[in-house]
Amino acid sequence: MGLFRTLVCLLVFYLLQGSNTSLVQLKNNGYEDIIIAIDPSVQEDEKLIDQIKHTVTSASTYLFGATGKKLFFKTVSILIPETWKPNLQYKKPKQESYTHADILVAPPAVPGRDDPYTRQFTECGERGEFIHFTPDFLLGKKEKEYGQPGRVLVHEWAHLRWGVFDEYNEDEPFYASSTKKVEATRCSIGITGLNRVHTCSGGSCIKRTCRIDPKTKLYEKDCQFFPDKVQNEKASIMFMQSIDSVIEFCDEENHNREAPSLQNKKCDSRSIWEVISKSEDLTSTPVMEVPPPQPIFSLLRISERVLCLVLDKSGSMSSSQRLNRMNQAAKHFLLQTVENGSWVGMVQFDSQATVTSPLVRITSNDDRNNLVSYLPPAASGGTSICSGLTAAFQMIKEMFNETNGSEIVLLTDGEDSTAGLCLEMVEQSGAVIHLIALGPDAEASVTNMSLVTGGTHHLSTDQIQNNGLIDAFVALASGNTDISQKALQLESKGLTLSLNDWMNDTVIIDSTVGKETFFLATWNKQLPSIFLWDPKGTLITNFTTDIYSKMAYVTIPGIAEVGIWNYSLQAKANSEILTVTVTSRASNSAVPPITVNAKMNKDTNSFPSPMIVYAEVQQGFLPVLGAHVTALIESTSGKLQTLELLDNGAGADSFKNDGVYSRYFINYSENGRYSLKVRAQGGTNSVTRSLRHAANKALYIPGWVVDGIIEGNPSRQETNDTQTTLESFTRTATGGAFVLSNVSSNPPPDVYPPSQITDLEATLDKDQITLTWTSPGEDFDVGKAKEYIIRISGSILDLRDNFDDALQVNTTDLSPKEANSQEIFTFRPGNISGENATHIFIAMKSVDKSNLISKTSNIAQVALFVPQADPSPDDNPGSGGKPSTGVNITVLVVSVVGAVVVVCIIVSTTVCILQKKNRSSRPRTGF
């Protein structure tokens, strides 16, 4: 019983971390096991390692002060790529890998663009994926534009660890404040500077005050905020950590709730510190009485992959074609997925374990075929998982004297009450355990092994047509290999057919893949007729057929022809199950292939808490937009559900057009494991690659104001939002397994309200306000809500905190559309309480048929006045002696007014006419 409680506690501890793959732990105020990974494409440079150390060390001190003497960086591992030369200082990693990297040091997504950013697509308060720094940024070449790297690291750590957002907004850089001025979007409002047009091109510059755009009533597009170099304000790190005086996050007292910052939009207008201070990191950590020690660094060099297949051949593997399916999937893995240069061994177990193949370094197809010959031919006996693991560890130690950094692929279908006894051995091994649970009875406690070692967890049911076992093995490509070397899955499909029925379909080979393209067909009863045609219509005939394993396959020589490949399989038996799998590698190591990565927001969940499916579609670090993405979620019993994933910035999707496609998953059918698979397809002329600057990044500083003069920084590379349309493509990715509990066998009650509206926007035209948003559903983002409740107020805090007391808008004529539709609604606001109201703030909720009410939407606003422009004098003195091509409007106006006054005095015109002339001058406004 004590062992059971220990296992449960360990499972809960690791699952509470969600599905983020980070291994970071907070112990005694210090963050341990931070991983900084240098990408294999980065050229060797020892200075880079020194700069990483310096950046983290300075960041630790800055973080300690910013968190009220609570948190610091304690231990950091720097992963050195295998492409760098060996060094006596470099040790071998244990569970550290690129998969678990918290900070990735890699070339920029677009050459010349060195924005430091955090990959963050979850909700407020939830952890991000990783931080991306470029080598040039860490080497200090971009310090003028972004500030000291150590300070930037703290800014990005707040994104990554605490799920807060930036306190600026590049889409809405200015807003109309309650003081009736145009203000830069920032926090705190006490940060001073100048709003100016200051652009240079081809040796000439335009430098002038900003003009009001007649359409937006805010500053024109080219207007930028230039901060004063010398400031007194201490906040906020999430706006401009590059300002020397800034050492704090904005809190409840100095938070700028008026600004349309991403933090306000995503976190219900709460300050950064309000979110951070409620995180587990802060609530469970006391203040330190003494300064923290400096970080401790470990230099770990990636080496060749060492992997052992630990395969269950117990008696239960003889049912549901499990043994043969395991052999099919393992054969595909050995022939196609595992990388050249890897060391691979094999252990089989029932009630005892046998080493069937010692570790062999794969250098040829003969090595691969030789390993395949050791796959188990028959199933019998009991199940002893610990025996299999012990034999694998011993085999690896005999070759390398240690198990650190090695990988175990553990496949099992049966229960084993003794499996928990070797959990401590697994933890101390330094190896990574990847679990493949086959069927509904696979031992649940083994899930702990993959969790505590940083491995992956997969489920394959007995529904052969879903192809889950082959998918799971394909997902086991090395996490430390350059993406150009990985086998990418293009197709995974299966059908149950009657005699002589056909399975006809296509797979697209795009130009980013095509090397070592591998077509695999499997059957359950009898060899089918198999036809494969390339895009030119040529029939591919050189399939290798393995009648014993019931599989046929072919590798396309060279680079496969780009275009649509057609395949047809004809069943030769009744109730035949046929599957097709297609994998390929990058066609050119210099051109990143299109990839898909899938995950759930949690590894474990309990009804009725909702879950979210995420799928990233990218080319390199650039998001791919306009793809058709579907998620296939399979329960332990094999029930399959399909969800269309969306990148629309509504419902479960945090950011529109960021290449992350999302959807709520709430249709739970049973308790136990579920598996996730995602398919992405890009059609002709419908998919683009976005070149937009990444969100959730340190703010680029265009220049500094020094003694009233703007000192410009090097210009940032600007590009259009999208590039040329991408070609058609297909991809399939496995998102691993997750576990559900507390699901009743009875039909569930309606417990899900409509999802929160997060993209509400408002515009004012004379006396009418027009609202736009994306419609939620009856249950989160599925179905159709019953009605909307819209309320307005002159106070943003009153509306946020006392929504039900605010003035309600008449929505009698407003009927909700189906979920994920675009809504538009126009109304006249009437009277707002408070004579001095300068804005109307608008929020809304949705109601479903069970009268369940959604969360309050984001708060939109309109200004009830035309804001005043900045009156500050032109900035010509800061031109550095170069002529300005801009027209000095202020000088021109003053000259005209002076001439009019002189003329008026000469001709003795009336005072009335003189006053009229004076009113033609611009009003005085500004900071």
Side-chain angles (χ1 to χ4, degrees):
M1 187 66 178
L3 174 62
F4 176 76
R5 282 197 298 265
T6 301
L7 290 173
V8 171
C9 289
L10 278 168
L11 178 62
V12 170
F13 173 76
Y14 281 94
L15 291 182
L16 281 174
Q17 300 181 52
S19 62
N20 182 279
T21 56
S22 174
L23 302 179
V24 173
Q25 299 182 61
L26 179 60
K27 294 181 179 179
N28 298 323
N29 298 81
Y31 289 111
E32 298 182 357
D33 302 327
I34 299 168
I35 299 176
I36 302 177
I38 301 175
D39 191 80
S41 61
V42 174
Q43 292 188 351
E44 186 168 357
D45 185 354
E46 290 188 5
K47 291 181 180 178
L48 183 59
I49 296 176
D50 292 336
Q51 283 302 115
I52 291 173
K53 291 180 178 179
H54 176 72
T55 296
V56 175
T57 301
S58 61
S60 183
T61 302
Y62 192 52
L63 176 67
F64 184 67
T67 56
K69 299 182 179 181
K70 282 192 171 186
L71 302 173
F72 67 98
F73 296 133
K74 186 182 294 185
T75 63
V76 179
S77 296
I78 302 176
L79 284 188
I80 311 297
E82 190 178 1
T83 53
W84 289 28
K85 297 176 183 177
N87 188 308
L88 292 177
Q89 298 181 59
Y90 301 161
K91 306 302 180 183
K92 190 174 183 179
K94 292 184 179 179
Q95 283 121 11
E96 301 88 352
S97 71
Y98 286 92
T99 304
H100 304 300
D102 303 289
I103 301 169
L104 183 62
V105 181
V110 176
R113 184 190 294 174
D114 292 275
D115 299 342
Y117 71 90
T118 300
R119 189 61 167 156
Q120 179 185 11
F121 49 74
T122 49
E123 298 177 347
C124 180
E126 297 184 0
R127 295 175 188 174
E129 300 299 299
F130 62 86
I131 297 169
H132 181 186
F133 288 153
T134 68
D136 279 355
F137 168 77
L138 286 170
L139 290 170
K141 298 179 181 180
K142 303 295 176 180
E143 192 165 319
K144 287 185 178 180
E145 297 96 310
Y146 299 103
Q148 299 173 14
R151 285 175 166 241
V152 174
L153 174 52
V154 174
H155 176 105
E156 300 304 331
W157 189 260
H159 283 307
L160 180 73
R161 185 72 184 182
W162 304 312
V164 295
F165 297 89
D166 292 314
E167 291 180 304
Y168 66 88
N169 189 338
E170 289 190 330
D171 292 330
E172 299 179 65
F174 297 98
Y175 69 99
S177 74
S178 57
T179 60
K180 299 188 177 182
K181 293 195 304 181
V182 177
E183 294 280 7
T185 301
R186 65 194 190 279
C187 189
S188 70
I189 196 67
I191 291 178
T192 58
L194 296 175
N195 301 318
R196 290 291 184 272
V197 173
H198 189 283
T199 58
C200 297
S201 178
S204 63
C205 297
I206 298 176
K207 304 179 182 182
R208 57 173 172 79
T209 54
C210 300
R211 300 167 182 160
I212 295 292
D213 185 313
K215 183 177 179 180
T216 65
K217 304 298 189 297
L218 299 173
Y219 284 139
E220 58 193 302
K221 179 182 178 181
D222 291 333
C223 185
Q224 299 180 89
F225 175 72
F226 293 83
D228 289 327
K229 185 68 175 177
V230 179
Q231 304 266 356
N232 295 319
E233 285 293 314
K234 295 183 179 181
S236 170
I237 292 171
M238 297 311 292
F239 174 58
M240 279 190 186
Q241 75 292 324
S242 50
I243 297 173
D244 290 341
S245 65
V246 170
I247 57 175
E248 298 174 354
F249 298 103
C250 269
D251 58 23
E252 195 169 5
E253 291 185 5
N254 59 13
H255 180 53
N256 182 6
R257 292 177 177 83
E258 290 185 340
S261 66
L262 291 180
Q263 173 65 18
N264 280 336
K265 289 176 179 287
K266 298 296 183 182
C267 297
D268 297 326
S269 300
R270 289 179 293 160
S271 70
I272 296 289
W273 188 247
E274 286 178 87
V275 177
I276 293 177
S277 62
K278 289 179 173 57
S279 70
E280 187 179 355
D281 287 359
L282 270 293
T283 56
S284 61
T285 305
V287 174
M288 291 181 64
E289 300 298 331
V290 296
Q294 290 196 342
I296 298 173
F297 296 93
S298 300
L299 303 182
L300 308 175
R301 181 176 177 269
I302 299 297
S303 57
E304 53 208 358
R305 191 179 192 188
V306 178
L307 180 144
C308 182
L309 299 180
V310 180
L311 307 177
D312 187 346
K313 70 175 192 69
S314 61
S316 56
M317 289 290 290
S318 61
S319 64
S320 301
Q321 301 281 331
R322 290 178 187 170
L323 186 75
N324 187 64
R325 290 164 53 212
M326 177 184 74
N327 288 344
Q328 289 175 342
K331 183 173 182 177
H332 179 268
F333 174 78
L334 293 170
L335 293 180
Q336 173 65 8
T337 303
V338 70
E339 301 78 13
N340 279 329
S342 301
W343 291 85
V344 181
M346 191 182 303
V347 171
Q348 301 169 13
F349 69 92
D350 42 41
S351 55
Q352 296 178 334
T354 304
V355 175
T356 55
S357 173
L359 288 169
V360 175
R361 193 166 189 264
I362 295 180
T363 59
S364 67
N365 286 335
D366 288 341
D367 296 326
R368 296 176 183 272
N369 287 316
N370 186 51
L371 281 164
V372 168
S373 68
Y374 291 110
L375 291 170
S380 64
T383 303
S384 177
I385 292 171
C386 288
S387 296
L389 293 172
T390 301
F393 290 148
Q394 184 176 348
M395 176 180 65
I396 295 170
K397 283 182 180 179
E398 289 176 356
M399 176 70 72
F400 294 103
N401 297 320
E402 61 178 356
T403 54
N404 286 345
S406 61
E407 298 175 68
I408 304 293
V409 176
L410 172 61
L411 185 149
T412 181
D413 77 331
E415 296 181 356
D416 179 4
S417 60
T418 66
L421 297 176
C422 56
L423 179 60
E424 184 177 355
M425 176 189 71
V426 168
E427 283 190 275
Q428 295 177 353
S429 69
V432 176
I433 309 296
H434 304 294
L435 171 64
I436 300 177
L438 178 55
D441 300 320
E443 177 57 39
S445 65
V446 202
T447 305
N448 286 301
M449 296 181 183
S450 61
L451 289 169
V452 301
T453 63
T456 56
H457 172 205
H458 301 273
L459 165 69
S460 175
T461 71
D462 288 328
Q463 299 300 310
I464 304 174
Q465 71 276 9
N466 293 337
N467 210 26
L469 200 49
I470 291 176
D471 293 339
F473 270 96
V474 172
L476 295 175
S478 173
N480 292 327
T481 302
D482 187 89
I483 188 63
S484 65
Q485 304 302 315
K486 291 184 180 181
L488 304 177
Q489 194 168 13
L490 310 187
E491 176 73 300
S492 172
K493 184 177 181 181
L495 287 176
T496 300
L497 301 172
S498 299
L499 176 65
N500 294 326
D501 281 354
W502 289 87
M503 177 179 175
N504 302 310
D505 214 329
T506 62
V507 62
I508 299 171
I509 306 293
D510 60 274
S511 63
T512 69
V513 294
K515 185 179 179 181
E516 298 178 20
T517 301
F518 191 90
F519 285 82
L520 168 68
T522 72
W523 59 92
N524 192 38
K525 295 182 178 179
Q526 188 173 333
L527 172 67
S529 298
I530 302 174
F531 301 92
L532 173 66
W533 296 273
D534 71 11
K536 293 180 179 179
T538 303
L539 180 65
I540 307 300
T541 59
N542 55 332
F543 275 83
T544 297
T545 302
D546 182 347
I547 297 295
Y548 178 77
S549 297
K550 300 179 181 178
M551 57 193 294
Y553 51 90
V554 63
T555 299
I556 306 302
I559 304 298
E561 185 81 20
V562 173
I564 299 175
W565 291 64
N566 291 272
Y567 62 84
S568 295
L569 283 70
Q570 186 181 33
K572 296 302 181 179
N574 274 315
S575 300
E576 179 65 279
I577 300 175
L578 305 180
T579 74
V580 171
T581 304
V582 183
T583 58
S584 187
R585 286 181 165 85
S587 58
N588 186 339
S589 61
V591 179
I594 297 170
T595 59
V596 176
N597 295 301
K599 62 174 281 186
M600 303 297 296
N601 68 321
K602 302 174 186 177
D603 289 318
T604 188
N605 194 41
S606 179
F607 176 85
S609 178
M611 297 192 74
I612 300 176
V613 188
Y614 295 112
E616 286 185 276
V617 187
Q618 297 176 294
Q619 185 177 12
F621 292 109
L622 295 176
V624 173
L625 313 182
H628 179 67
V629 183
T630 54
L632 304 173
I633 299 176
E634 185 179 8
S635 67
T636 300
S637 65
K639 181 179 180 181
L640 196 64
Q641 300 181 55
T642 302
L643 287 174
E644 181 183 3
L645 307 185
L646 303 173
D647 185 15
N648 61 355
D653 193 65
S654 293
F655 293 93
K656 184 177 182 179
N657 291 338
D658 66 345
V660 179
Y661 299 74
S662 317
R663 202 70 184 268
Y664 283 107
F665 171 59
I666 53 177
N667 193 15
Y668 310 150
S669 58
E670 60 188 284
N671 292 307
R673 291 185 176 101
Y674 288 68
S675 68
L676 168 66
K677 179 163 69 176
V678 165
R679 290 175 177 160
Q681 182 171 355
T684 304
N685 299 322
S686 65
V687 185
T688 58
R689 183 179 59 181
S690 174
L691 294 177
R692 183 183 177 88
H693 288 276
N696 310 310
K697 63 182 181 298
L699 180 61
Y700 162 77
I701 310 297
W704 299 93
V705 179
V706 180
D707 296 328
I709 298 173
I710 294 177
E711 296 181 356
N713 284 328
S715 299
R716 181 174 67 168
Q717 182 184 24
E718 298 295 343
T719 55
N720 295 326
D721 280 357
T722 55
Q723 202 184 31
T724 307
T725 301
L726 292 178
E727 60 197 302
S728 300
F729 70 91
T730 55
R731 294 291 186 275
T732 299
T734 301
F738 59 96
V739 180
L740 285 176
S741 61
N742 200 36
V743 179
S744 173
S745 58
N746 298 318
D750 185 1
V751 295
Y752 299 115
S755 59
Q756 180 187 25
I757 294 169
T758 57
D759 61 347
L760 179 65
E761 295 183 0
T763 55
L764 178 66
D765 184 12
K766 298 179 181 178
D767 63 341
Q768 290 188 329
I769 295 175
T770 298
L771 304 178
T772 59
W773 68 94
T774 302
S775 60
E778 165 76 12
D779 297 324
F780 286 107
D781 55 7
V782 177
K784 183 168 64 174
K786 183 181 72 171
E787 62 178 305
Y788 293 123
I789 301 171
I790 301 176
R791 294 184 183 272
I792 61 177
S793 174
S795 167
I796 190 171
L797 289 182
D798 285 347
L799 188 59
R800 185 193 72 176
D801 299 335
N802 302 291
F803 177 84
D804 292 337
D805 296 333
L807 181 64
Q808 185 167 352
V809 175
N810 185 348
T811 57
T812 303
D813 298 328
L814 177 60
S815 297
K817 298 179 180 178
E818 283 291 328
N820 300 300
S821 302
Q822 291 302 303
E823 299 271 28
I824 184 169
F825 178 66
T826 299
F827 68 98
R828 288 184 171 83
N831 295 324
I832 295 294
S833 59
E835 296 179 357
N836 297 320
T838 58
H839 291 72
I840 294 178
F841 299 97
I842 309 106
M844 62 189 303
K845 293 183 178 182
S846 310
V847 185
D848 70 6
K849 295 175 182 176
S850 300
N851 291 321
L852 297 175
I853 302 176
S854 71
K855 294 181 180 178
T856 306
S857 71
N858 66 294
I859 298 177
Q861 60 176 281
V862 294
L864 300 177
F865 57 91
V866 177
Q868 300 170 340
D870 191 335
S872 301
D874 210 349
D875 200 31
N876 277 330
S879 62
K882 294 182 181 180
S884 172
T885 60
V887 178
N888 192 322
I889 301 299
T890 304
V891 173
L892 179 62
V893 172
V894 170
S895 299
V896 171
V897 171
V900 170
V901 171
V902 171
V903 171
C904 290
I905 293 174
I906 294 173
V907 299
S908 301
T909 53
T910 66
V911 174
C912 201
I913 295 176
L914 180 59
Q915 290 175 341
K916 181 178 180 182
K917 295 288 185 179
N918 285 335
R919 280 196 302 269
S920 67
S921 64
R922 296 174 65 185
R924 180 171 179 79
T925 59
F927 290 111

